[in-house]
Amino acid sequence: MIVIAVANQKGGVAKTTSAIHLASYFAEQGYKTLVIDLDAQGHAASALGISKGNGLFRLLVEKRPVGEAATPARPNLDVVANDHTAELVKERVSRANFREFLLASALETAASYDLVFLDTPPSTDVLHITALVASDYVLIPAIMDFLALDGVGGILQAVRELGMFPNVQPPRLLGILPTLFDRTTNETLENIRRLQQALGAEQILPPIPRDTKVREAASFGKTLWEYAPASAATIGYTNGSKSRNSQGKTGGYLHLAEIVAELIAFK
Ligand code: ADP
Ligand code: MG
């Protein structure tokens, strides 16, 4: 089992979108895949067209096994959904012993899954920390505005600080994912260059274009694979280069999924 947290303390940077598209891609490829929604907004379920629910409450507060907390969303794809009970979950988890480890322990009942994606809240609260502790990799979607480096730096620092906990292996950086990317503005390209300089070009994944099909697909509870398989956000502007840092020439969730598949060595 490989656990990937999709994290950024900012909202609206495509965390949920990225988590469900990677998850549904791998499910379609035949891997048994789970999405755990740690955000009270419960968007992971609604973006997949299933009802919100108290799956996270059942998992972390009632301590039921994943099999009793998850809902099927597609073949090979289950979701531990979330809803308004998230506030109660947060309160209970923050008062629990070994709270940073609660999700990691809960995942001991998820051994039948090949891949687990953690969709995290836009915060640095206890649920965010428990997600980072439970994960092997962290993927950081970010909008390439002038504050991007700030937000990304915050997450990387939180990951480094996990080293302070005994028995915690901090997650490896899967990459920074520029999202809602607009290739026509110099500012966006300049901010990508700044991130490449600060973190190393190989850490910056091919950007996902801004594309109205993403919002439409979510409003119908469908994935891009189902709703718009040939759109820019799915296959990028051009559909060729394999380079990770191609300055926005390529991208799309298909390209990202192929890169992630190589990184986690399923290919
Ligand atoms: P987060 O989970 O970080 O808050 P979401 O994944 O919910 O972000 O995305 C925020 C909003 O932006 C949603 O309405 C989503 O449909 C939309 N969105 C995400 N990615 C794109 C994209 N590439 N192009 C256009 N809209 C997008
Ligand atoms: Mg979200």
Side-chain angles (χ1 to χ4, degrees), residues 66-103:
V66 166
E68 290 176 25
T71 315
R74 297 289 188 283
N76 292 325
L77 176 59
D78 296 343
V79 177
V80 172
N82 204 347
D83 60 10
H84 62 277
T85 56
E87 286 309 315
L88 199 53
V89 176
K90 204 189 313 184
E91 190 201 309
R92 295 288 185 84
V93 170
S94 53
R95 286 193 280 121
N97 291 328
F98 303 108
R99 55 192 192 160
E100 293 82 8
F101 296 93
L102 277 192
L103 184 57

Side-chain angles (χ1 to χ4, degrees), residues 10-17 37 39 41-44 119-122:
K10 293 191 187 180
V13 298
K15 290 183 295 295
T16 301
T17 303
D37 189 355
D39 187 351
Q41 295 180 89
H43 285 168
D119 182 19
T120 67

Side-chain angles (χ1 to χ4, degrees), residues 10-18 39 41 43 119-120 122 179-181 208-216 218 233 253:
K10 293 191 187 180
V13 298
K15 290 183 295 295
T16 301
T17 303
S18 302
D39 187 351
Q41 295 180 89
H43 285 168
D119 182 19
T120 67
T179 53
L180 293 118
F181 177 78
I208 307 292
R210 185 184 291 273
D211 181 348
T212 51
K213 293 281 188 236
V214 177
R215 235 175 257 274
E216 282 174 31
Y253 279 111

Side-chain angles (χ1 to χ4, degrees), residues 4 10 21 77 83 108 114 165 171 177 233 251:
I4 299 176
K10 293 191 187 180
H21 282 92
L77 176 59
D83 60 10
E108 285 168 16
D114 300 308
F165 291 105
L177 178 67

Side-chain angles (χ1 to χ4, degrees), residues 181 183 189 192 205-207 209 237-238 245-251:
F181 177 78
R183 65 177 162 165
L189 292 174
I192 289 203
L205 293 157
Y237 296 119
T238 63
N245 43 45
S246 47
Q247 296 281 352
K249 291 192 201 69
T250 64

